[in-house]
Amino acid sequence: MALPSPLNLITVSSRRSGDRMIVVLRGAIDYESEGVLRRSLVGALGRSLRGIDLDLREVTFWDCSSLNVLLAVRRTALKEGKTVTIRAASPVVERVCELTETLPLLAASAER
């Protein structure tokens, strides 16, 4: 499933991997694509048994609104006994997560 935003800034695809969903995000993700991002992550979370793994290697722009969506989905996941992890990230995603000290919350090693 791929959902482009109205401005084609973001592409989201997801697939099942065992009891988790793999979500691949591509493009520039900012406040204008917040709705697409939220719907995509919440939908993938609902289709998973244990949570979602994010591949953000091809994200070219990532701002605080994107991070806020990710953290909100993480809170929802935790309430459901699931996790949200970043399995791969572009330098821009890593930088924002490092600056905000949120990377440990989303690191794959925190899941297990």
Side-chain angles (χ1 to χ4, degrees), residues 59-88:
V59 172
T60 58
F61 183 82
W62 182 262
D63 66 4
C64 289
S65 65
S66 310
L67 181 59
N68 285 334
V69 169
L70 189 55
L71 293 172
V73 172
R74 178 184 177 272
R75 282 190 299 273
T76 300
L78 292 174
K79 288 177 186 175
E80 297 175 4
K82 300 177 182 181
T83 58
V84 174
T85 61
I86 295 176
R87 294 295 178 158

PDB file of all heavy atoms in Angstrom, residues 59-88:
ATOM      1  N   VAL A  59      14.163   9.423   3.792  1.00  0.00           N
ATOM      2  CA  VAL A  59      13.513  10.666   4.222  1.00  0.00           C
ATOM      3  C   VAL A  59      14.504  11.803   3.999  1.00  0.00           C
ATOM      4  O   VAL A  59      15.619  11.788   4.513  1.00  0.00           O
ATOM      5  CB  VAL A  59      13.078  10.584   5.700  1.00  0.00           C
ATOM      6  CG1 VAL A  59      12.589  11.933   6.199  1.00  0.00           C
ATOM      7  CG2 VAL A  59      11.994   9.522   5.852  1.00  0.00           C
ATOM      8  N   THR A  60      14.081  12.798   3.218  1.00  0.00           N
ATOM      9  CA  THR A  60      14.963  13.907   2.868  1.00  0.00           C
ATOM     10  C   THR A  60      14.768  15.135   3.745  1.00  0.00           C
ATOM     11  O   THR A  60      15.622  16.010   3.792  1.00  0.00           O
ATOM     12  CB  THR A  60      14.759  14.309   1.400  1.00  0.00           C
ATOM     13  OG1 THR A  60      13.378  14.656   1.207  1.00  0.00           O
ATOM     14  CG2 THR A  60      15.137  13.162   0.469  1.00  0.00           C
ATOM     15  N   PHE A  61      13.636  15.210   4.413  1.00  0.00           N
ATOM     16  CA  PHE A  61      13.357  16.305   5.347  1.00  0.00           C
ATOM     17  C   PHE A  61      12.504  15.747   6.468  1.00  0.00           C
ATOM     18  O   PHE A  61      11.566  14.986   6.220  1.00  0.00           O
ATOM     19  CB  PHE A  61      12.629  17.465   4.656  1.00  0.00           C
ATOM     20  CG  PHE A  61      12.393  18.634   5.564  1.00  0.00           C
ATOM     21  CD1 PHE A  61      13.392  19.558   5.788  1.00  0.00           C
ATOM     22  CD2 PHE A  61      11.176  18.787   6.207  1.00  0.00           C
ATOM     23  CE1 PHE A  61      13.187  20.641   6.650  1.00  0.00           C
ATOM     24  CE2 PHE A  61      10.962  19.860   7.070  1.00  0.00           C
ATOM     25  CZ  PHE A  61      11.963  20.781   7.291  1.00  0.00           C
ATOM     26  N   TRP A  62      12.808  16.133   7.701  1.00  0.00           N
ATOM     27  CA  TRP A  62      12.117  15.610   8.886  1.00  0.00           C
ATOM     28  C   TRP A  62      12.100  16.734   9.907  1.00  0.00           C
ATOM     29  O   TRP A  62      13.159  17.216  10.307  1.00  0.00           O
ATOM     30  CB  TRP A  62      12.883  14.406   9.411  1.00  0.00           C
ATOM     31  CG  TRP A  62      12.318  13.711  10.594  1.00  0.00           C
ATOM     32  CD1 TRP A  62      12.696  13.885  11.895  1.00  0.00           C
ATOM     33  CD2 TRP A  62      11.306  12.705  10.613  1.00  0.00           C
ATOM     34  NE1 TRP A  62      11.976  13.052  12.713  1.00  0.00           N
ATOM     35  CE2 TRP A  62      11.122  12.312  11.943  1.00  0.00           C
ATOM     36  CE3 TRP A  62      10.537  12.109   9.625  1.00  0.00           C
ATOM     37  CZ2 TRP A  62      10.201  11.342  12.307  1.00  0.00           C
ATOM     38  CZ3 TRP A  62       9.632  11.144   9.999  1.00  0.00           C
ATOM     39  CH2 TRP A  62       9.464  10.763  11.316  1.00  0.00           C
ATOM     40  N   ASP A  63      10.924  17.181  10.300  1.00  0.00           N
ATOM     41  CA  ASP A  63      10.874  18.278  11.261  1.00  0.00           C
ATOM     42  C   ASP A  63      10.216  17.836  12.563  1.00  0.00           C
ATOM     43  O   ASP A  63       9.867  16.673  12.743  1.00  0.00           O
ATOM     44  CB  ASP A  63      10.179  19.505  10.662  1.00  0.00           C
ATOM     45  CG  ASP A  63       8.707  19.296  10.375  1.00  0.00           C
ATOM     46  OD1 ASP A  63       8.155  18.220  10.707  1.00  0.00           O
ATOM     47  OD2 ASP A  63       8.078  20.215   9.823  1.00  0.00           O
ATOM     48  N   CYS A  64      10.057  18.780  13.472  1.00  0.00           N
ATOM     49  CA  CYS A  64       9.503  18.451  14.788  1.00  0.00           C
ATOM     50  C   CYS A  64       8.055  17.991  14.719  1.00  0.00           C
ATOM     51  O   CYS A  64       7.637  17.171  15.532  1.00  0.00           O
ATOM     52  CB  CYS A  64       9.648  19.644  15.730  1.00  0.00           C
ATOM     53  SG  CYS A  64      11.361  19.907  16.207  1.00  0.00           S
ATOM     54  N   SER A  65       7.293  18.483  13.749  1.00  0.00           N
ATOM     55  CA  SER A  65       5.906  18.016  13.637  1.00  0.00           C
ATOM     56  C   SER A  65       5.890  16.527  13.266  1.00  0.00           C
ATOM     57  O   SER A  65       5.063  15.768  13.755  1.00  0.00           O
ATOM     58  CB  SER A  65       5.114  18.845  12.623  1.00  0.00           C
ATOM     59  OG  SER A  65       5.621  18.694  11.321  1.00  0.00           O
ATOM     60  N   SER A  66       6.822  16.110  12.445  1.00  0.00           N
ATOM     61  CA  SER A  66       6.938  14.691  12.082  1.00  0.00           C
ATOM     62  C   SER A  66       7.299  13.862  13.307  1.00  0.00           C
ATOM     63  O   SER A  66       6.727  12.795  13.541  1.00  0.00           O
ATOM     64  CB  SER A  66       8.026  14.502  11.026  1.00  0.00           C
ATOM     65  OG  SER A  66       7.865  15.385   9.949  1.00  0.00           O
ATOM     66  N   LEU A  67       8.242  14.369  14.073  1.00  0.00           N
ATOM     67  CA  LEU A  67       8.653  13.672  15.289  1.00  0.00           C
ATOM     68  C   LEU A  67       7.505  13.599  16.287  1.00  0.00           C
ATOM     69  O   LEU A  67       7.297  12.569  16.926  1.00  0.00           O
ATOM     70  CB  LEU A  67       9.863  14.366  15.913  1.00  0.00           C
ATOM     71  CG  LEU A  67      10.414  13.723  17.176  1.00  0.00           C
ATOM     72  CD1 LEU A  67      10.851  12.286  16.934  1.00  0.00           C
ATOM     73  CD2 LEU A  67      11.564  14.556  17.712  1.00  0.00           C
ATOM     74  N   ASN A  68       6.739  14.666  16.407  1.00  0.00           N
ATOM     75  CA  ASN A  68       5.583  14.661  17.323  1.00  0.00           C
ATOM     76  C   ASN A  68       4.569  13.594  16.938  1.00  0.00           C
ATOM     77  O   ASN A  68       4.011  12.921  17.807  1.00  0.00           O
ATOM     78  CB  ASN A  68       4.928  16.040  17.379  1.00  0.00           C
ATOM     79  CG  ASN A  68       5.729  17.016  18.190  1.00  0.00           C
ATOM     80  OD1 ASN A  68       6.474  16.642  19.087  1.00  0.00           O
ATOM     81  ND2 ASN A  68       5.590  18.292  17.868  1.00  0.00           N
ATOM     82  N   VAL A  69       4.322  13.434  15.641  1.00  0.00           N
ATOM     83  CA  VAL A  69       3.409  12.386  15.182  1.00  0.00           C
ATOM     84  C   VAL A  69       3.965  11.025  15.579  1.00  0.00           C
ATOM     85  O   VAL A  69       3.252  10.171  16.116  1.00  0.00           O
ATOM     86  CB  VAL A  69       3.186  12.455  13.654  1.00  0.00           C
ATOM     87  CG1 VAL A  69       2.463  11.211  13.148  1.00  0.00           C
ATOM     88  CG2 VAL A  69       2.418  13.708  13.283  1.00  0.00           C
ATOM     89  N   LEU A  70       5.236  10.820  15.332  1.00  0.00           N
ATOM     90  CA  LEU A  70       5.874   9.546  15.654  1.00  0.00           C
ATOM     91  C   LEU A  70       5.789   9.241  17.145  1.00  0.00           C
ATOM     92  O   LEU A  70       5.460   8.127  17.553  1.00  0.00           O
ATOM     93  CB  LEU A  70       7.326   9.576  15.193  1.00  0.00           C
ATOM     94  CG  LEU A  70       8.102   8.281  15.251  1.00  0.00           C
ATOM     95  CD1 LEU A  70       7.404   7.170  14.489  1.00  0.00           C
ATOM     96  CD2 LEU A  70       9.498   8.514  14.705  1.00  0.00           C
ATOM     97  N   LEU A  71       6.022  10.243  17.980  1.00  0.00           N
ATOM     98  CA  LEU A  71       5.954  10.038  19.431  1.00  0.00           C
ATOM     99  C   LEU A  71       4.519   9.782  19.902  1.00  0.00           C
ATOM    100  O   LEU A  71       4.293   8.981  20.814  1.00  0.00           O
ATOM    101  CB  LEU A  71       6.570  11.226  20.160  1.00  0.00           C
ATOM    102  CG  LEU A  71       8.084  11.376  19.963  1.00  0.00           C
ATOM    103  CD1 LEU A  71       8.567  12.693  20.563  1.00  0.00           C
ATOM    104  CD2 LEU A  71       8.837  10.198  20.530  1.00  0.00           C
ATOM    105  N   ALA A  72       3.547  10.432  19.272  1.00  0.00           N
ATOM    106  CA  ALA A  72       2.142  10.190  19.621  1.00  0.00           C
ATOM    107  C   ALA A  72       1.737   8.760  19.256  1.00  0.00           C
ATOM    108  O   ALA A  72       1.052   8.083  20.033  1.00  0.00           O
ATOM    109  CB  ALA A  72       1.242  11.202  18.911  1.00  0.00           C
ATOM    110  N   VAL A  73       2.179   8.294  18.095  1.00  0.00           N
ATOM    111  CA  VAL A  73       1.876   6.917  17.687  1.00  0.00           C
ATOM    112  C   VAL A  73       2.586   5.944  18.624  1.00  0.00           C
ATOM    113  O   VAL A  73       2.028   4.899  18.990  1.00  0.00           O
ATOM    114  CB  VAL A  73       2.257   6.689  16.208  1.00  0.00           C
ATOM    115  CG1 VAL A  73       2.136   5.224  15.830  1.00  0.00           C
ATOM    116  CG2 VAL A  73       1.383   7.544  15.302  1.00  0.00           C
ATOM    117  N   ARG A  74       3.782   6.282  19.056  1.00  0.00           N
ATOM    118  CA  ARG A  74       4.506   5.439  20.019  1.00  0.00           C
ATOM    119  C   ARG A  74       3.722   5.315  21.321  1.00  0.00           C
ATOM    120  O   ARG A  74       3.611   4.228  21.896  1.00  0.00           O
ATOM    121  CB  ARG A  74       5.887   6.015  20.291  1.00  0.00           C
ATOM    122  CG  ARG A  74       6.675   5.214  21.314  1.00  0.00           C
ATOM    123  CD  ARG A  74       8.024   5.882  21.621  1.00  0.00           C
ATOM    124  NE  ARG A  74       8.731   5.157  22.651  1.00  0.00           N
ATOM    125  CZ  ARG A  74       8.594   5.375  23.957  1.00  0.00           C
ATOM    126  NH1 ARG A  74       7.779   6.325  24.398  1.00  0.00           N
ATOM    127  NH2 ARG A  74       9.274   4.657  24.829  1.00  0.00           N
ATOM    128  N   ARG A  75       3.162   6.427  21.802  1.00  0.00           N
ATOM    129  CA  ARG A  75       2.361   6.383  23.039  1.00  0.00           C
ATOM    130  C   ARG A  75       1.153   5.466  22.857  1.00  0.00           C
ATOM    131  O   ARG A  75       0.826   4.672  23.750  1.00  0.00           O
ATOM    132  CB  ARG A  75       1.919   7.787  23.437  1.00  0.00           C
ATOM    133  CG  ARG A  75       3.008   8.612  24.101  1.00  0.00           C
ATOM    134  CD  ARG A  75       2.482   9.899  24.706  1.00  0.00           C
ATOM    135  NE  ARG A  75       1.885  10.785  23.717  1.00  0.00           N
ATOM    136  CZ  ARG A  75       2.556  11.685  22.994  1.00  0.00           C
ATOM    137  NH1 ARG A  75       3.851  11.808  23.139  1.00  0.00           N
ATOM    138  NH2 ARG A  75       1.930  12.454  22.145  1.00  0.00           N
ATOM    139  N   THR A  76       0.489   5.568  21.736  1.00  0.00           N
ATOM    140  CA  THR A  76      -0.647   4.696  21.437  1.00  0.00           C
ATOM    141  C   THR A  76      -0.196   3.241  21.417  1.00  0.00           C
ATOM    142  O   THR A  76      -0.861   2.370  21.984  1.00  0.00           O
ATOM    143  CB  THR A  76      -1.279   5.068  20.087  1.00  0.00           C
ATOM    144  OG1 THR A  76      -1.733   6.422  20.154  1.00  0.00           O
ATOM    145  CG2 THR A  76      -2.436   4.153  19.732  1.00  0.00           C
ATOM    146  N   ALA A  77       0.930   2.987  20.773  1.00  0.00           N
ATOM    147  CA  ALA A  77       1.451   1.621  20.691  1.00  0.00           C
ATOM    148  C   ALA A  77       1.727   1.057  22.077  1.00  0.00           C
ATOM    149  O   ALA A  77       1.352  -0.084  22.372  1.00  0.00           O
ATOM    150  CB  ALA A  77       2.731   1.604  19.845  1.00  0.00           C
ATOM    151  N   LEU A  78       2.348   1.837  22.921  1.00  0.00           N
ATOM    152  CA  LEU A  78       2.665   1.360  24.268  1.00  0.00           C
ATOM    153  C   LEU A  78       1.403   1.020  25.052  1.00  0.00           C
ATOM    154  O   LEU A  78       1.375   0.024  25.778  1.00  0.00           O
ATOM    155  CB  LEU A  78       3.501   2.399  25.015  1.00  0.00           C
ATOM    156  CG  LEU A  78       4.923   2.601  24.477  1.00  0.00           C
ATOM    157  CD1 LEU A  78       5.602   3.758  25.200  1.00  0.00           C
ATOM    158  CD2 LEU A  78       5.740   1.323  24.577  1.00  0.00           C
ATOM    159  N   LYS A  79       0.352   1.807  24.878  1.00  0.00           N
ATOM    160  CA  LYS A  79      -0.920   1.523  25.544  1.00  0.00           C
ATOM    161  C   LYS A  79      -1.506   0.192  25.078  1.00  0.00           C
ATOM    162  O   LYS A  79      -2.233  -0.466  25.812  1.00  0.00           O
ATOM    163  CB  LYS A  79      -1.930   2.648  25.284  1.00  0.00           C
ATOM    164  CG  LYS A  79      -1.621   3.924  26.008  1.00  0.00           C
ATOM    165  CD  LYS A  79      -2.621   5.001  25.649  1.00  0.00           C
ATOM    166  CE  LYS A  79      -2.233   6.332  26.261  1.00  0.00           C
ATOM    167  NZ  LYS A  79      -3.131   7.416  25.829  1.00  0.00           N
ATOM    168  N   GLU A  80      -1.191  -0.182  23.840  1.00  0.00           N
ATOM    169  CA  GLU A  80      -1.690  -1.426  23.260  1.00  0.00           C
ATOM    170  C   GLU A  80      -0.702  -2.578  23.449  1.00  0.00           C
ATOM    171  O   GLU A  80      -0.914  -3.665  22.905  1.00  0.00           O
ATOM    172  CB  GLU A  80      -1.962  -1.226  21.768  1.00  0.00           C
ATOM    173  CG  GLU A  80      -3.043  -0.207  21.477  1.00  0.00           C
ATOM    174  CD  GLU A  80      -3.228   0.062  19.996  1.00  0.00           C
ATOM    175  OE1 GLU A  80      -2.566  -0.606  19.156  1.00  0.00           O
ATOM    176  OE2 GLU A  80      -4.026   0.943  19.646  1.00  0.00           O
ATOM    177  N   GLY A  81       0.383  -2.343  24.171  1.00  0.00           N
ATOM    178  CA  GLY A  81       1.384  -3.380  24.374  1.00  0.00           C
ATOM    179  C   GLY A  81       2.251  -3.620  23.150  1.00  0.00           C
ATOM    180  O   GLY A  81       2.788  -4.716  22.970  1.00  0.00           O
ATOM    181  N   LYS A  82       2.381  -2.618  22.309  1.00  0.00           N
ATOM    182  CA  LYS A  82       3.161  -2.717  21.078  1.00  0.00           C
ATOM    183  C   LYS A  82       4.316  -1.718  21.129  1.00  0.00           C
ATOM    184  O   LYS A  82       4.415  -0.920  22.059  1.00  0.00           O
ATOM    185  CB  LYS A  82       2.270  -2.412  19.861  1.00  0.00           C
ATOM    186  CG  LYS A  82       1.090  -3.349  19.716  1.00  0.00           C
ATOM    187  CD  LYS A  82       0.223  -2.951  18.541  1.00  0.00           C
ATOM    188  CE  LYS A  82      -0.998  -3.847  18.404  1.00  0.00           C
ATOM    189  NZ  LYS A  82      -1.832  -3.466  17.244  1.00  0.00           N
ATOM    190  N   THR A  83       5.173  -1.765  20.105  1.00  0.00           N
ATOM    191  CA  THR A  83       6.292  -0.837  20.035  1.00  0.00           C
ATOM    192  C   THR A  83       6.377  -0.192  18.660  1.00  0.00           C
ATOM    193  O   THR A  83       5.848  -0.713  17.677  1.00  0.00           O
ATOM    194  CB  THR A  83       7.630  -1.546  20.325  1.00  0.00           C
ATOM    195  OG1 THR A  83       7.810  -2.597  19.383  1.00  0.00           O
ATOM    196  CG2 THR A  83       7.678  -2.099  21.741  1.00  0.00           C
ATOM    197  N   VAL A  84       7.057   0.938  18.620  1.00  0.00           N
ATOM    198  CA  VAL A  84       7.393   1.626  17.377  1.00  0.00           C
ATOM    199  C   VAL A  84       8.904   1.811  17.399  1.00  0.00           C
ATOM    200  O   VAL A  84       9.434   2.407  18.348  1.00  0.00           O
ATOM    201  CB  VAL A  84       6.693   2.996  17.274  1.00  0.00           C
ATOM    202  CG1 VAL A  84       7.165   3.760  16.045  1.00  0.00           C
ATOM    203  CG2 VAL A  84       5.176   2.831  17.247  1.00  0.00           C
ATOM    204  N   THR A  85       9.580   1.273  16.395  1.00  0.00           N
ATOM    205  CA  THR A  85      11.032   1.379  16.362  1.00  0.00           C
ATOM    206  C   THR A  85      11.514   1.910  15.022  1.00  0.00           C
ATOM    207  O   THR A  85      10.882   1.681  13.986  1.00  0.00           O
ATOM    208  CB  THR A  85      11.709   0.014  16.604  1.00  0.00           C
ATOM    209  OG1 THR A  85      11.308  -0.889  15.580  1.00  0.00           O
ATOM    210  CG2 THR A  85      11.330  -0.560  17.952  1.00  0.00           C
ATOM    211  N   ILE A  86      12.602   2.626  15.071  1.00  0.00           N
ATOM    212  CA  ILE A  86      13.282   3.061  13.856  1.00  0.00           C
ATOM    213  C   ILE A  86      14.371   2.030  13.574  1.00  0.00           C
ATOM    214  O   ILE A  86      15.284   1.856  14.376  1.00  0.00           O
ATOM    215  CB  ILE A  86      13.896   4.460  14.020  1.00  0.00           C
ATOM    216  CG1 ILE A  86      12.798   5.508  14.226  1.00  0.00           C
ATOM    217  CG2 ILE A  86      14.748   4.805  12.793  1.00  0.00           C
ATOM    218  CD1 ILE A  86      13.323   6.905  14.495  1.00  0.00           C
ATOM    219  N   ARG A  87      14.245   1.342  12.457  1.00  0.00           N
ATOM    220  CA  ARG A  87      15.228   0.324  12.070  1.00  0.00           C
ATOM    221  C   ARG A  87      16.332   0.912  11.210  1.00  0.00           C
ATOM    222  O   ARG A  87      17.448   0.409  11.204  1.00  0.00           O
ATOM    223  CB  ARG A  87      14.545  -0.817  11.314  1.00  0.00           C
ATOM    224  CG  ARG A  87      13.585  -1.603  12.165  1.00  0.00           C
ATOM    225  CD  ARG A  87      14.330  -2.309  13.263  1.00  0.00           C
ATOM    226  NE  ARG A  87      13.395  -3.039  14.110  1.00  0.00           N
ATOM    227  CZ  ARG A  87      13.756  -4.049  14.856  1.00  0.00           C
ATOM    228  NH1 ARG A  87      14.992  -4.447  14.907  1.00  0.00           N
ATOM    229  NH2 ARG A  87      12.866  -4.647  15.610  1.00  0.00           N
ATOM    230  N   ALA A  88      16.023   1.954  10.439  1.00  0.00           N
ATOM    231  CA  ALA A  88      17.007   2.622   9.593  1.00  0.00           C
ATOM    232  C   ALA A  88      16.563   4.071   9.430  1.00  0.00           C
ATOM    233  O   ALA A  88      15.367   4.344   9.331  1.00  0.00           O
ATOM    234  CB  ALA A  88      17.101   1.936   8.243  1.00  0.00           C
TER     235      ALA A  88
END
